[in-house]
Amino acid sequence: MLKTQQHSREWYQQFVDLAAQMPEVLAFYRMAGEFDYLLQVQVADMKSFDRFYKRLVNGIPGLIDVTSSFAMEKIKYTTALPLPE
């Protein structure tokens, strides 16, 4: 989850371009609420996350808060929607 002090069109496009180039990024959302953006990333281990994090924060100016959470176990994951019969 990221907060930024930048909201210009140019900054936004630069951020979108950076995230698009990062293969670890699985999903990228612009948010309403406390945080401005949410990135879902997948990495092999904490060392890989550290490399990703450094590329991210050094690749775009203006980030003021980067908060990370880690899933300990995937209990359920689906993209199927229940359809009425």
Side-chain angles (χ1 to χ4, degrees):
M1 297 174 285
L2 303 113
K3 290 182 186 179
T4 182
Q5 57 191 8
Q6 303 291 324
H7 296 283
S8 72
R9 187 177 333 213
E10 295 80 15
W11 183 91
Y12 171 79
Q13 192 58 56
Q14 184 182 4
F15 188 33
V16 168
D17 293 345
L18 174 66
Q21 296 170 23
M22 302 177 100
E24 300 92 342
V25 176
L26 303 180
F28 181 26
Y29 303 93
R30 188 168 55 90
M31 306 294 290
E34 183 177 351
F35 289 91
D36 298 311
Y37 297 95
L38 172 67
L39 295 175
Q40 179 185 357
V41 303
Q42 179 138 6
V43 293
D45 52 31
M46 290 306 295
K47 189 173 184 176
S48 299
F49 178 76
D50 187 50
R51 285 192 302 269
F52 168 81
Y53 175 88
K54 288 174 183 173
R55 283 193 342 265
L56 176 67
V57 299
N58 292 317
I60 190 78
L63 296 176
I64 57 174
D65 188 359
V66 179
T67 300
S68 302
S69 298
F70 300 92
M72 300 298 292
E73 176 183 10
K74 186 185 288 186
I75 297 169
K76 179 180 178 179
Y77 173 79
T78 184
T79 58
L81 297 174
L83 299 176
E85 295 182 25

